[in-house]
Amino acid sequence: MSTAILTGPPAPGSSLDGDLRSLGFDVRIASGAEEAGALLAAVPAGERVALVDPRFVGHLHALRLTLTDPRFPAAAAPGALTAQREARPALARALDAVSATSGNGAGAGTLTDGLTDSLAEALDADGVAVHRPQLGTLVATVPTDAEARHEARAAVEAVDDEAVRLRSAVKAHDGFFTTFFISPYSRYIARWCARRGLTPNQVTTASLLTALVAAGCAATGERGGYIAAGVLLLVSFVLDCTDGQLARYALKYSTMGAWLDATFDRAKEYAFYAGLALGAARNGDDVWALALGAMVLMTCRHVVDFSFNEANHDATANTSPTASLSNRLDSVGWTVWARRMIILPIGERWAMIAVLTAFTSPRIVFWALIIGCAFGACYTTAGRVLRSLTRKAKRTDRAAQALADLADSGPLAGIAGRIFGRAGLALLPGFVLAFVAAGVVIPAVLVRPFGDSGTVVAAALYVMFAGAAVARPLKGALDWLVPPLFRAAEYTTVLVLAARSDSPHALPAAFGLVAAVAYHHYDTVYRIRGGTGAPPAWLVRVTGGHEGRTLLVTVLAALLADRGDDFTLALTALAVAVALVVLVESIRFWVSSGAPAVHDEGETA
């Protein structure tokens, strides 16, 4: 139970007491600064406390946004202030200071006007970041006389609180399909769930289970199964939108929700790809290479987005002619939707997959995905390269560290960086060395015979150049390309070697390996976004880093080229080992108290 302390008796006819109780607060009334301090001290240290001016007039949802959002240690709006456990000591100090300077004495008088605003400023000065929600048309005010109170109440009556709450439940920058074909009704599903006490995590889990059933239907290889799979995939996507809308509608954000929302999208899509590949195999069509190729392209495109955003998260002088052009295009409405659609964001992508699954074949689905993802990757990468070359932005240490974490370099890269950094190789820009590294290993596995020792030599050179690429801080204009180049090199190496192998079922095993490694890379992204940094160094060492895994797969191919299905078994064992390690560590982190208390907004792409 949270506690709300009214800094005086409510005004006659006020619904404030009832509003606070409806939000889950136990309401107490203080008659003076010292009594407010005593009431604050009496509340258990781990509970939330709110201080509210008894003259407050405003919408219930304005109070909800200010006082109940779990993501912020402290929050304030006119006439209302809240503090969670970590901000409670600072609030107590601020209130003691007010009590000491008010001159009221023990239990005397009423609290001064503007107390909550003064306390919010004191918290800011004490180093506690006070969140001030954007209320928009919602009203939150403290009228000082009867006329102002009457005007405030009229303003409250003029705005539909529930309509605003429903609109704000929808993510601001969704794609065309999601905005116009899903959100108009999914928000009402979110409200229905909220009124029945369902949580976002339950809806997220339902979305995952629905997608897994869809994958199972696709795996039947029958037209009826494909139609059911397409329908269920769309249902899963509706639920996927609903969970975030429910979190925003009910302000039910959680660390577990952040983890589930961040990872289940990938799990659903990968599972559906596997289902399509299994269904095609039942009809004698082997499309595992296409399934893995689609997954590689999509993941690499996402890494481009993640790396560019992290590199420019806090860059200074962050302007360029291409950015200015983009801003001008934003003023022309149809170009905004066109640019969002052509990169095949998740809504458009899942809609395309669902329709093509129902009416065509898995091979057509994957070719459409590959073409769409390739175009989206080229479009976004070209635009961001142009921005990087034309802007004069100064990279920060934080951005350089984020790129180094996203690179996922293991111990071999560290050794190579120390050796070849001294030799002067690291004086070249990081992205150039990463490009050379990818340019050495990818052509080798494409051109040389499967199992040829030359691919191992190429992989060793890849380790050398990859280590040199990260030997210095990644602060160059194009150094954000380093993580995507490493992802492309590692994933493509696994894909090509498995495709060229004579080992039965090597491609499904490679699919599992890339899926496990990609999960690790997505998990790294969401940890960085939450402000907690990359996964622990031991995890990167145990999983070998991108260069270690790339070298290991080429060595396994060379050693097991003529040994039947041994290469498949080796890939399977590696996939299981990586998956177990990264999943156990990921679960440990996201359910721990150190995980960020946020609900991820998801990726438009």
Side-chain angles (χ1 to χ4, degrees):
M1 173 70 76
S2 302
T3 299
I5 301 173
L6 292 177
T7 58
S14 172
S15 63
L16 184 58
D17 184 284
D19 288 345
L20 290 171
R21 293 185 188 279
S22 72
L23 295 178
F25 286 95
D26 180 21
V27 180
R28 307 291 177 86
I29 299 176
S31 60
E34 189 165 326
E35 185 176 355
L39 289 174
L40 175 64
V43 177
E47 293 186 5
R48 176 192 292 272
V49 173
L51 287 173
V52 183
D53 193 303
R55 299 165 299 171
F56 177 89
V57 174
H59 287 97
L60 175 62
H61 193 48
L63 280 175
R64 181 183 290 108
L65 289 172
T66 305
L67 302 181
T68 67
D69 196 323
R71 297 174 295 174
F72 309 103
L81 170 71
T82 186
Q84 296 201 73
R85 174 183 55 81
E86 55 267 45
R88 285 274 304 275
L91 178 60
R93 290 192 295 271
L95 193 54
D96 287 343
V98 170
S99 179
T101 57
S102 63
N104 288 332
T110 59
L111 296 180
T112 57
D113 291 345
L115 173 69
T116 55
D117 293 339
S118 299
L119 290 175
E121 292 174 2
L123 289 177
D124 278 325
D126 201 10
V128 177
V130 179
H131 172 66
R132 292 172 172 82
Q134 298 295 320
L135 300 179
T137 58
L138 296 175
V139 176
T141 186
V142 180
T144 56
D145 54 43
E147 182 179 356
R149 187 172 188 82
H150 176 74
E151 292 176 354
R153 285 177 170 172
V156 170
E157 293 295 327
V159 176
D160 187 341
D161 179 275
E162 180 62 17
V164 172
R165 189 180 179 190
L166 274 173
R167 285 197 303 271
S168 63
V170 177
K171 195 166 61 176
H173 301 291
D174 262 327
F176 181 86
F177 179 77
T178 305
T179 299
F180 294 104
F181 292 91
I182 303 297
S183 293
Y185 57 87
S186 61
R187 69 184 74 182
Y188 295 101
I189 300 175
R191 181 172 67 181
W192 182 90
C193 293
R195 290 177 175 176
R196 283 152 184 81
L198 297 176
T199 67
N201 293 350
Q202 291 170 332
V203 177
T204 303
T205 303
S207 175
L208 174 66
L209 294 175
T210 304
L212 293 178
V213 173
C217 291
T220 63
E222 300 177 356
R223 180 53 52 194
Y226 287 150
I227 293 173
V231 173
L232 289 172
L233 188 64
L234 288 177
V235 172
S236 175
F237 183 65
V238 171
L239 293 174
D240 182 56
C241 296
T242 300
D243 66 354
Q245 291 166 359
L246 175 58
R248 288 182 285 273
Y249 181 86
L251 296 183
K252 290 185 176 180
Y253 303 99
S254 67
T255 55
M256 180 65 75
W259 176 59
L260 295 179
D261 190 58
T263 58
F264 276 14
D265 280 352
R266 302 287 78 79
K268 288 180 285 190
E269 198 157 1
Y270 296 167
F272 197 81
Y273 290 0
L276 284 174
L278 290 170
R282 287 180 177 271
N283 295 314
D285 190 11
D286 187 353
V287 296
W288 277 105
L290 295 178
L292 183 49
M295 183 167 69
V296 168
L297 268 172
M298 181 187 68
T299 305
C300 289
R301 192 191 67 183
H302 281 161
V303 176
V304 168
D305 297 339
F306 299 147
S307 296
F308 181 81
N309 291 335
E310 288 302 325
N312 296 281
H313 176 74
D314 50 4
T316 57
N318 199 13
T319 59
S320 73
T322 50
S324 301
L325 174 62
S326 178
N327 292 334
R328 287 197 297 272
L329 287 175
D330 285 344
S331 63
V332 184
W334 68 269
T335 67
V336 175
W337 295 116
R339 285 183 292 146
R340 289 184 189 177
M341 291 174 67
I342 62 177
I343 62 172
L344 205 64
I346 188 170
E348 279 76 359
R349 188 168 70 248
W350 282 32
M352 183 187 74
I353 294 172
V355 172
L356 291 179
T357 297
F359 297 107
T360 65
S361 67
R363 182 171 289 274
I364 293 176
V365 174
F366 286 126
W367 273 118
L369 271 172
I370 288 171
I371 293 170
C373 288
F375 179 81
C378 292
Y379 174 81
T380 56
T381 304
R384 286 164 180 175
V385 167
L386 286 174
R387 287 193 182 194
S388 300
L389 292 174
T390 54
R391 69 172 30 144
K392 296 180 179 180
K394 189 175 182 180
R395 304 278 187 251
T396 64
D397 291 337
R398 178 204 171 279
Q401 183 59 52
L403 291 178
D405 293 336
L406 289 173
D408 190 34
S409 299
L412 292 179
I415 295 171
R418 287 191 293 272
I419 295 173
F420 297 104
R422 296 193 189 101
L425 191 60
L427 295 179
L428 293 173
F431 83 94
V432 171
L433 291 164
F435 185 82
V436 172
V440 167
V441 71
I442 293 177
V445 297
L446 283 170
V447 174
R448 302 189 73 86
F450 176 78
D452 186 86
S453 59
T455 59
V456 178
V457 175
L461 291 173
Y462 173 76
V463 172
M464 181 185 76
F465 285 109
V470 295
R472 292 192 304 161
L474 297 174
K475 292 188 176 183
L478 295 178
D479 281 352
W480 57 269
L481 286 169
V482 170
L485 286 168
F486 288 164
R487 296 298 82 76
E490 179 183 1
Y491 297 165
T492 303
T493 297
V494 176
L495 166 60
V496 173
L497 289 176
R500 301 190 68 191
S501 168
D502 292 330
S503 180
H505 310 300
L507 276 168
F511 186 94
L513 174 59
V514 172
V517 174
Y519 174 87
H520 166 57
H521 291 144
Y522 280 107
D523 185 56
T524 301
V525 167
Y526 292 118
R527 293 196 197 208
I528 293 172
R529 284 184 169 185
T532 57
W538 69 261
L539 180 65
V540 178
R541 288 195 298 270
V542 168
T543 56
H546 69 94
E547 80 290 351
R549 292 186 297 270
T550 303
L551 179 60
L552 176 59
V553 172
T554 59
V555 170
L556 290 173
L559 293 176
L560 306 175
D562 300 319
R563 297 181 57 178
D565 61 356
D566 283 2
F567 185 60
T568 296
L569 294 175
L571 289 179
T572 302
L574 183 58
V576 171
V578 171
L580 284 176
V581 173
V582 299
L583 278 173
V584 169
E585 163 54 23
S586 179
I587 293 171
R588 182 210 63 78
F589 170 77
W590 286 102
V591 301
S592 70
S593 59
V598 298
H599 189 283
D600 188 78
E601 290 293 293
E603 297 305 318
T604 59

